[in-house]
Amino acid sequence: LLCVICVGMNVARASEARILRMEPLPQDGQLTMDLDVALDLSRSVLDVAEHGVPLYFTYDVQITAPRWWWFDKVLVQATLSRRLIYNNLTQQWRVATGDLFLPAATQEDALQVIKQVRGWPIAPVDRFEPNVKYEGKVRIRLDTSQMARPLQLDARNRGAWAMTSPWATFDFSIRRAEPAK
């Protein structure tokens, strides 16, 4: 019985993620999104990152307008990718969004940057009618399709690499601007 318990404890744990908070905000003519995410990466994924293999995390958001006569109309589909990189030579973690690199002192600091998104521009505000309720959903996933090809094949065979949060739903409306008095 003890052997069975020990073997069960060594089974690779899958990575998990979930959206903790999402807040759509209109700012400067753009609809922006603030997100807080809980990430629990498996030891095998963290080991690969510590050996210098970049990890790609992709946030997906979809906003729809309900229609009574047909399927909901998709107004916005947006993605944001962040890359987690460890440089073995300098022993420094970096998080990249596009061409912007942000250095981090530790792995925990780098993951904290991945876990928080602030002011992500989703769409122009004029795409939405004032005082109409819109529905949206957001998720985060470990995007193995952006990794090197040999690692993509290996990642498909491991459950530890399959990390996608469930869709978290939200609703919002854009308020009509009050006329100045």
Side-chain angles (χ1 to χ4, degrees):
L1 180 62
L2 184 60
C3 290
V4 171
I5 292 172
C6 290
V7 169
M9 291 172 59
N10 289 332
V11 173
R13 177 181 55 84
S15 299
E16 296 177 7
R18 68 183 192 287
I19 305 294
L20 298 176
R21 184 183 75 86
M22 68 223 118
E23 188 174 358
L25 301 166
Q27 292 179 342
D28 300 326
Q30 287 283 327
L31 179 69
T32 64
M33 181 72 74
D34 287 354
L35 296 171
D36 289 331
V37 176
L39 285 178
D40 185 21
L41 298 178
S42 68
R43 186 70 242 162
S44 62
V45 171
L46 291 174
D47 286 344
V48 168
E50 288 171 354
H51 284 90
V53 175
L55 299 179
Y56 296 87
F57 296 90
T58 300
Y59 304 87
D60 300 312
V61 68
Q62 182 178 26
I63 298 174
T64 59
R67 292 193 279 200
W68 65 272
W69 54 275
W70 195 248
F71 296 110
D72 292 346
K73 180 180 180 183
V74 177
L75 296 174
V76 176
Q77 284 186 322
T79 60
L80 173 69
S81 290
R82 288 194 171 166
R83 187 172 63 229
L84 177 67
I85 307 162
Y86 181 69
N87 188 325
N88 285 323
L89 186 61
T90 62
Q91 296 183 351
Q92 184 180 36
W93 289 92
R94 294 184 298 168
V95 177
T97 303
D99 292 335
L100 176 67
F101 285 92
L102 182 67
T106 65
Q107 181 184 54
E108 292 79 25
D109 292 344
L111 286 173
Q112 192 62 34
V113 174
I114 300 286
K115 292 177 184 180
Q116 291 184 341
V117 175
R118 298 292 181 262
W120 172 24
I122 302 294
V125 172
D126 60 4
R127 190 176 287 182
F128 306 98
E129 295 293 324
N131 301 323
V132 173
K133 182 179 171 184
Y134 294 97
E135 298 171 352
K137 58 185 181 177
V138 64
R139 72 176 178 183
I140 183 173
R141 58 191 164 92
L142 181 60
D143 194 356
T144 57
S145 68
Q146 294 188 41
M147 296 175 71
R149 193 60 144 175
L151 294 172
Q152 285 181 23
L153 298 174
D154 187 46
R156 289 189 182 135
N157 296 327
R158 289 189 181 175
W161 288 91
M163 186 202 77
T164 301
S165 73
W167 285 101
T169 59
F170 62 94
D171 56 22
F172 70 98
S173 63
I174 305 293
R175 295 192 184 137
R176 186 179 309 262
E178 296 293 324
K181 293 184 181 181

